[in-house]
mmCIF file of all heavy atoms in Angstrom:
data_model
loop_
_atom_site.group_PDB
_atom_site.id
_atom_site.type_symbol
_atom_site.label_atom_id
_atom_site.label_comp_id
_atom_site.label_asym_id
_atom_site.label_seq_id
_atom_site.Cartn_x
_atom_site.Cartn_y
_atom_site.Cartn_z
ATOM 1 N N VAL A 144 -15.369 32.577 -11.645
ATOM 2 C CA VAL A 144 -14.680 31.403 -11.109
ATOM 3 C C VAL A 144 -13.727 31.765 -9.971
ATOM 4 O O VAL A 144 -13.399 30.915 -9.136
ATOM 5 C CB VAL A 144 -13.913 30.657 -12.221
ATOM 6 C CG1 VAL A 144 -14.869 30.060 -13.225
ATOM 7 C CG2 VAL A 144 -12.909 31.583 -12.915
ATOM 8 N N GLN A 145 -13.266 33.002 -9.920
ATOM 9 C CA GLN A 145 -12.389 33.427 -8.827
ATOM 10 C C GLN A 145 -13.109 34.332 -7.838
ATOM 11 O O GLN A 145 -12.479 34.979 -7.000
ATOM 12 C CB GLN A 145 -11.150 34.121 -9.389
ATOM 13 C CG GLN A 145 -10.237 33.185 -10.170
ATOM 14 C CD GLN A 145 -8.951 33.851 -10.598
ATOM 15 O OE1 GLN A 145 -8.372 34.643 -9.872
ATOM 16 N NE2 GLN A 145 -8.489 33.527 -11.796
ATOM 17 N N GLN A 146 -14.431 34.365 -7.911
ATOM 18 C CA GLN A 146 -15.224 35.188 -6.993
ATOM 19 C C GLN A 146 -16.117 34.344 -6.098
ATOM 20 O O GLN A 146 -17.093 34.847 -5.545
ATOM 21 C CB GLN A 146 -16.088 36.175 -7.805
ATOM 22 C CG GLN A 146 -15.308 37.237 -8.537
ATOM 23 C CD GLN A 146 -14.873 38.371 -7.624
ATOM 24 O OE1 GLN A 146 -14.837 38.228 -6.422
ATOM 25 N NE2 GLN A 146 -14.560 39.523 -8.196
ATOM 26 N N ILE A 147 -15.809 33.063 -5.974
ATOM 27 C CA ILE A 147 -16.682 32.177 -5.197
ATOM 28 C C ILE A 147 -16.734 32.565 -3.725
ATOM 29 O O ILE A 147 -17.679 32.204 -3.023
ATOM 30 C CB ILE A 147 -16.255 30.709 -5.340
ATOM 31 C CG1 ILE A 147 -14.814 30.507 -4.871
ATOM 32 C CG2 ILE A 147 -16.439 30.237 -6.776
ATOM 33 C CD1 ILE A 147 -14.377 29.053 -4.845
ATOM 34 N N ASP A 148 -15.737 33.324 -3.246
ATOM 35 C CA ASP A 148 -15.780 33.765 -1.848
ATOM 36 C C ASP A 148 -16.726 34.943 -1.645
ATOM 37 O O ASP A 148 -16.905 35.414 -0.522
ATOM 38 C CB ASP A 148 -14.372 34.124 -1.366
ATOM 39 C CG ASP A 148 -13.692 35.168 -2.237
ATOM 40 O OD1 ASP A 148 -14.220 35.468 -3.330
ATOM 41 O OD2 ASP A 148 -12.628 35.677 -1.834
ATOM 42 N N ARG A 149 -17.375 35.400 -2.716
ATOM 43 C CA ARG A 149 -18.345 36.498 -2.615
ATOM 44 C C ARG A 149 -19.773 36.013 -2.873
ATOM 45 O O ARG A 149 -20.687 36.816 -3.081
ATOM 46 C CB ARG A 149 -17.988 37.577 -3.649
ATOM 47 C CG ARG A 149 -16.570 38.105 -3.577
ATOM 48 C CD ARG A 149 -16.382 39.100 -2.460
ATOM 49 N NE ARG A 149 -17.171 40.296 -2.671
ATOM 50 C CZ ARG A 149 -16.800 41.317 -3.472
ATOM 51 N NH1 ARG A 149 -15.667 41.249 -4.146
ATOM 52 N NH2 ARG A 149 -17.565 42.381 -3.586
ATOM 53 N N VAL A 150 -19.965 34.698 -2.865
ATOM 54 C CA VAL A 150 -21.254 34.147 -3.259
ATOM 55 C C VAL A 150 -22.386 34.579 -2.323
ATOM 56 O O VAL A 150 -23.524 34.775 -2.765
ATOM 57 C CB VAL A 150 -21.178 32.606 -3.356
ATOM 58 C CG1 VAL A 150 -20.945 31.977 -1.982
ATOM 59 C CG2 VAL A 150 -22.414 32.030 -4.005
ATOM 60 N N VAL A 151 -22.109 34.742 -1.042
ATOM 61 C CA VAL A 151 -23.167 35.148 -0.108
ATOM 62 C C VAL A 151 -23.691 36.533 -0.464
ATOM 63 O O VAL A 151 -24.908 36.770 -0.474
ATOM 64 C CB VAL A 151 -22.647 35.119 1.343
ATOM 65 C CG1 VAL A 151 -23.682 35.726 2.296
ATOM 66 C CG2 VAL A 151 -22.338 33.688 1.772
ATOM 67 N N GLU A 152 -22.791 37.445 -0.796
ATOM 68 C CA GLU A 152 -23.217 38.791 -1.186
ATOM 69 C C GLU A 152 -24.096 38.758 -2.436
ATOM 70 O O GLU A 152 -25.117 39.442 -2.522
ATOM 71 C CB GLU A 152 -21.999 39.675 -1.447
ATOM 72 C CG GLU A 152 -21.038 39.794 -0.286
ATOM 73 C CD GLU A 152 -19.716 40.357 -0.755
ATOM 74 O OE1 GLU A 152 -19.734 41.391 -1.449
ATOM 75 O OE2 GLU A 152 -18.673 39.751 -0.437
ATOM 76 N N VAL A 153 -23.656 37.966 -3.426
ATOM 77 C CA VAL A 153 -24.403 37.891 -4.676
ATOM 78 C C VAL A 153 -25.792 37.303 -4.438
ATOM 79 O O VAL A 153 -26.788 37.790 -4.988
ATOM 80 C CB VAL A 153 -23.623 37.049 -5.709
ATOM 81 C CG1 VAL A 153 -24.439 36.881 -6.987
ATOM 82 C CG2 VAL A 153 -22.290 37.695 -6.031
ATOM 83 N N VAL A 154 -25.873 36.274 -3.631
ATOM 84 C CA VAL A 154 -27.172 35.663 -3.322
ATOM 85 C C VAL A 154 -28.072 36.658 -2.604
ATOM 86 O O VAL A 154 -29.268 36.778 -2.923
ATOM 87 C CB VAL A 154 -26.965 34.384 -2.481
ATOM 88 C CG1 VAL A 154 -28.286 33.943 -1.846
ATOM 89 C CG2 VAL A 154 -26.396 33.268 -3.342
ATOM 90 N N GLU A 155 -27.531 37.379 -1.638
ATOM 91 C CA GLU A 155 -28.338 38.360 -0.902
ATOM 92 C C GLU A 155 -28.922 39.412 -1.846
ATOM 93 O O GLU A 155 -30.126 39.720 -1.794
ATOM 94 C CB GLU A 155 -27.478 39.054 0.156
ATOM 95 C CG GLU A 155 -27.213 38.219 1.389
ATOM 96 C CD GLU A 155 -26.450 39.014 2.434
ATOM 97 O OE1 GLU A 155 -26.098 40.187 2.168
ATOM 98 O OE2 GLU A 155 -26.213 38.464 3.515
ATOM 99 N N GLU A 156 -28.070 39.958 -2.709
ATOM 100 C CA GLU A 156 -28.542 41.001 -3.620
ATOM 101 C C GLU A 156 -29.530 40.452 -4.642
ATOM 102 O O GLU A 156 -30.494 41.127 -5.027
ATOM 103 C CB GLU A 156 -27.346 41.647 -4.327
ATOM 104 C CG GLU A 156 -26.407 42.403 -3.411
ATOM 105 C CD GLU A 156 -27.116 43.548 -2.697
ATOM 106 O OE1 GLU A 156 -28.008 44.182 -3.314
ATOM 107 O OE2 GLU A 156 -26.791 43.797 -1.529
ATOM 108 N N THR A 157 -29.305 39.229 -5.089
ATOM 109 C CA THR A 157 -30.216 38.622 -6.060
ATOM 110 C C THR A 157 -31.579 38.383 -5.436
ATOM 111 O O THR A 157 -32.615 38.574 -6.086
ATOM 112 C CB THR A 157 -29.625 37.297 -6.575
ATOM 113 O OG1 THR A 157 -28.325 37.543 -7.134
ATOM 114 C CG2 THR A 157 -30.510 36.686 -7.661
ATOM 115 N N LEU A 158 -31.615 37.972 -4.181
ATOM 116 C CA LEU A 158 -32.894 37.767 -3.488
ATOM 117 C C LEU A 158 -33.655 39.091 -3.305
ATOM 118 O O LEU A 158 -34.875 39.093 -3.186
ATOM 119 C CB LEU A 158 -32.652 37.117 -2.124
ATOM 120 C CG LEU A 158 -32.334 35.613 -2.165
ATOM 121 C CD1 LEU A 158 -31.823 35.133 -0.817
ATOM 122 C CD2 LEU A 158 -33.559 34.810 -2.591
ATOM 123 N N LYS A 159 -32.914 40.190 -3.318
ATOM 124 C CA LYS A 159 -33.561 41.506 -3.236
ATOM 125 C C LYS A 159 -34.090 41.968 -4.596
ATOM 126 O O LYS A 159 -34.747 43.012 -4.690
ATOM 127 C CB LYS A 159 -32.571 42.553 -2.721
ATOM 128 C CG LYS A 159 -32.131 42.336 -1.284
ATOM 129 C CD LYS A 159 -31.062 43.346 -0.900
ATOM 130 C CE LYS A 159 -30.524 43.085 0.490
ATOM 131 N NZ LYS A 159 -29.431 44.037 0.831
ATOM 132 N N GLY A 160 -33.783 41.181 -5.639
ATOM 133 C CA GLY A 160 -34.246 41.540 -6.973
ATOM 134 C C GLY A 160 -33.213 42.223 -7.825
ATOM 135 O O GLY A 160 -33.519 42.689 -8.924
ATOM 136 N N HIS A 161 -31.960 42.303 -7.349
ATOM 137 C CA HIS A 161 -30.907 42.950 -8.115
ATOM 138 C C HIS A 161 -30.176 41.951 -9.003
ATOM 139 O O HIS A 161 -30.010 40.787 -8.626
ATOM 140 C CB HIS A 161 -29.895 43.611 -7.175
ATOM 141 C CG HIS A 161 -30.475 44.706 -6.346
ATOM 142 N ND1 HIS A 161 -30.133 44.907 -5.031
ATOM 143 C CD2 HIS A 161 -31.397 45.655 -6.647
ATOM 144 C CE1 HIS A 161 -30.810 45.937 -4.546
ATOM 145 N NE2 HIS A 161 -31.580 46.414 -5.513
ATOM 146 N N GLU A 162 -29.736 42.411 -10.143
ATOM 147 C CA GLU A 162 -28.877 41.612 -11.014
ATOM 148 C C GLU A 162 -27.440 42.018 -10.743
ATOM 149 O O GLU A 162 -27.063 43.167 -10.908
ATOM 150 C CB GLU A 162 -29.221 41.842 -12.489
ATOM 151 C CG GLU A 162 -28.323 41.055 -13.443
ATOM 152 C CD GLU A 162 -28.545 41.452 -14.891
ATOM 153 O OE1 GLU A 162 -29.606 42.060 -15.179
ATOM 154 O OE2 GLU A 162 -27.658 41.188 -15.719
ATOM 155 N N VAL A 163 -26.624 41.045 -10.316
ATOM 156 C CA VAL A 163 -25.245 41.321 -9.911
ATOM 157 C C VAL A 163 -24.292 40.465 -10.728
ATOM 158 O O VAL A 163 -24.547 39.280 -10.951
ATOM 159 C CB VAL A 163 -25.048 41.016 -8.407
ATOM 160 C CG1 VAL A 163 -23.630 41.322 -7.984
ATOM 161 C CG2 VAL A 163 -26.049 41.800 -7.569
ATOM 162 N N ARG A 164 -23.174 41.077 -11.151
ATOM 163 C CA ARG A 164 -22.180 40.327 -11.924
ATOM 164 C C ARG A 164 -20.791 40.595 -11.350
ATOM 165 O O ARG A 164 -20.299 41.708 -11.418
ATOM 166 C CB ARG A 164 -22.238 40.714 -13.402
ATOM 167 C CG ARG A 164 -23.570 40.343 -14.040
ATOM 168 C CD ARG A 164 -23.520 40.411 -15.551
ATOM 169 N NE ARG A 164 -24.693 39.747 -16.117
ATOM 170 C CZ ARG A 164 -24.773 39.318 -17.370
ATOM 171 N NH1 ARG A 164 -23.736 39.466 -18.180
ATOM 172 N NH2 ARG A 164 -25.861 38.724 -17.819
ATOM 173 N N LEU A 165 -20.181 39.549 -10.809
ATOM 174 C CA LEU A 165 -18.832 39.643 -10.260
ATOM 175 C C LEU A 165 -17.911 38.762 -11.083
ATOM 176 O O LEU A 165 -17.989 37.539 -11.018
ATOM 177 C CB LEU A 165 -18.805 39.179 -8.803
ATOM 178 C CG LEU A 165 -19.370 40.122 -7.751
ATOM 179 C CD1 LEU A 165 -19.156 39.535 -6.378
ATOM 180 C CD2 LEU A 165 -18.721 41.485 -7.832
ATOM 181 N N LEU A 166 -17.019 39.381 -11.846
ATOM 182 C CA LEU A 166 -16.124 38.612 -12.706
ATOM 183 C C LEU A 166 -14.673 39.071 -12.615
ATOM 184 O O LEU A 166 -13.807 38.474 -13.234
ATOM 185 C CB LEU A 166 -16.593 38.702 -14.164
ATOM 186 C CG LEU A 166 -17.917 38.006 -14.473
ATOM 187 C CD1 LEU A 166 -18.423 38.408 -15.848
ATOM 188 C CD2 LEU A 166 -17.767 36.506 -14.396
ATOM 189 N N THR A 167 -14.396 40.112 -11.856
ATOM 190 C CA THR A 167 -13.042 40.647 -11.767
ATOM 191 C C THR A 167 -12.395 40.188 -10.468
ATOM 192 O O THR A 167 -13.010 40.257 -9.409
ATOM 193 C CB THR A 167 -13.049 42.182 -11.812
ATOM 194 O OG1 THR A 167 -13.713 42.600 -12.991
ATOM 195 C CG2 THR A 167 -11.631 42.734 -11.801
ATOM 196 N N ARG A 168 -11.145 39.739 -10.557
ATOM 197 C CA ARG A 168 -10.469 39.230 -9.367
ATOM 198 C C ARG A 168 -8.979 39.539 -9.440
ATOM 199 O O ARG A 168 -8.368 39.397 -10.507
ATOM 200 C CB ARG A 168 -10.671 37.715 -9.260
ATOM 201 C CG ARG A 168 -10.058 37.098 -8.019
ATOM 202 C CD ARG A 168 -10.879 37.411 -6.779
ATOM 203 N NE ARG A 168 -10.218 36.968 -5.566
ATOM 204 C CZ ARG A 168 -10.809 36.956 -4.393
ATOM 205 N NH1 ARG A 168 -12.062 37.350 -4.269
ATOM 206 N NH2 ARG A 168 -10.171 36.566 -3.319
ATOM 207 N N LYS A 169 -8.391 39.907 -8.306
ATOM 208 C CA LYS A 169 -6.962 40.178 -8.260
ATOM 209 C C LYS A 169 -6.186 39.121 -7.473
ATOM 210 O O LYS A 169 -4.969 39.089 -7.538
ATOM 211 C CB LYS A 169 -6.726 41.563 -7.643
ATOM 212 C CG LYS A 169 -7.289 42.700 -8.485
ATOM 213 C CD LYS A 169 -7.018 44.043 -7.849
ATOM 214 C CE LYS A 169 -7.582 45.174 -8.699
ATOM 215 N NZ LYS A 169 -7.321 46.506 -8.089
ATOM 216 N N THR A 170 -6.871 38.318 -6.707
ATOM 217 C CA THR A 170 -6.210 37.252 -5.950
ATOM 218 C C THR A 170 -7.047 35.980 -6.051
ATOM 219 O O THR A 170 -8.233 36.013 -6.381
ATOM 220 C CB THR A 170 -6.068 37.624 -4.463
ATOM 221 O OG1 THR A 170 -7.360 37.876 -3.911
ATOM 222 C CG2 THR A 170 -5.183 38.841 -4.292
ATOM 223 N N LEU A 171 -6.428 34.849 -5.730
ATOM 224 C CA LEU A 171 -7.153 33.580 -5.723
ATOM 225 C C LEU A 171 -7.989 33.465 -4.454
ATOM 226 O O LEU A 171 -7.597 33.977 -3.401
ATOM 227 C CB LEU A 171 -6.174 32.410 -5.796
ATOM 228 C CG LEU A 171 -5.264 32.342 -7.021
ATOM 229 C CD1 LEU A 171 -4.355 31.131 -6.937
ATOM 230 C CD2 LEU A 171 -6.078 32.308 -8.297
ATOM 231 N N PRO A 172 -9.130 32.777 -4.515
ATOM 232 C CA PRO A 172 -9.939 32.569 -3.310
ATOM 233 C C PRO A 172 -9.141 31.791 -2.268
ATOM 234 O O PRO A 172 -8.331 30.920 -2.595
ATOM 235 C CB PRO A 172 -11.129 31.743 -3.819
ATOM 236 C CG PRO A 172 -11.168 31.979 -5.291
ATOM 237 C CD PRO A 172 -9.754 32.187 -5.712
ATOM 238 N N ALA A 173 -9.371 32.109 -1.007
ATOM 239 C CA ALA A 173 -8.664 31.418 0.071
ATOM 240 C C ALA A 173 -9.045 29.947 0.113
ATOM 241 O O ALA A 173 -10.163 29.558 -0.243
ATOM 242 C CB ALA A 173 -8.982 32.087 1.406
ATOM 243 N N LEU A 174 -8.118 29.112 0.570
ATOM 244 C CA LEU A 174 -8.375 27.676 0.662
ATOM 245 C C LEU A 174 -9.088 27.280 1.943
ATOM 246 O O LEU A 174 -9.601 26.164 2.043
ATOM 247 C CB LEU A 174 -7.045 26.909 0.569
ATOM 248 C CG LEU A 174 -6.334 26.949 -0.781
ATOM 249 C CD1 LEU A 174 -4.952 26.336 -0.658
ATOM 250 C CD2 LEU A 174 -7.150 26.232 -1.846
ATOM 251 N N ASP A 175 -9.098 28.179 2.933
ATOM 252 C CA ASP A 175 -9.690 27.823 4.220
ATOM 253 C C ASP A 175 -11.125 28.331 4.376
ATOM 254 O O ASP A 175 -11.630 28.473 5.495
ATOM 255 C CB ASP A 175 -8.826 28.344 5.368
ATOM 256 C CG ASP A 175 -8.650 29.863 5.328
ATOM 257 O OD1 ASP A 175 -9.114 30.489 4.350
ATOM 258 O OD2 ASP A 175 -8.046 30.409 6.266
ATOM 259 N N LEU A 176 -11.798 28.588 3.263
ATOM 260 C CA LEU A 176 -13.209 28.976 3.323
ATOM 261 C C LEU A 176 -14.043 27.808 3.847
ATOM 262 O O LEU A 176 -13.654 26.648 3.724
ATOM 263 C CB LEU A 176 -13.701 29.362 1.921
ATOM 264 C CG LEU A 176 -13.083 30.600 1.272
ATOM 265 C CD1 LEU A 176 -13.492 30.668 -0.195
ATOM 266 C CD2 LEU A 176 -13.496 31.862 2.007
ATOM 267 N N PRO A 177 -15.220 28.088 4.438
ATOM 268 C CA PRO A 177 -16.115 26.991 4.835
ATOM 269 C C PRO A 177 -16.461 26.129 3.627
ATOM 270 O O PRO A 177 -16.564 26.617 2.503
ATOM 271 C CB PRO A 177 -17.355 27.714 5.365
ATOM 272 C CG PRO A 177 -16.889 29.084 5.716
ATOM 273 C CD PRO A 177 -15.784 29.412 4.765
#
Side-chain angles (χ1 to χ4, degrees):
V144 294
Q145 293 186 38
Q146 292 281 19
I147 59 174
D148 56 349
R149 305 282 296 278
V150 66
V151 172
E152 303 165 50
V153 176
V154 165
E155 283 185 358
E156 295 299 324
T157 303
L158 284 168
K159 294 175 185 177
H161 297 141
E162 179 188 342
V163 181
R164 296 194 166 199
L165 285 184
L166 292 168
T167 304
R168 183 75 187 190
K169 295 181 180 180
T170 59
L171 300 180
L174 292 171
D175 59 355
L176 295 169

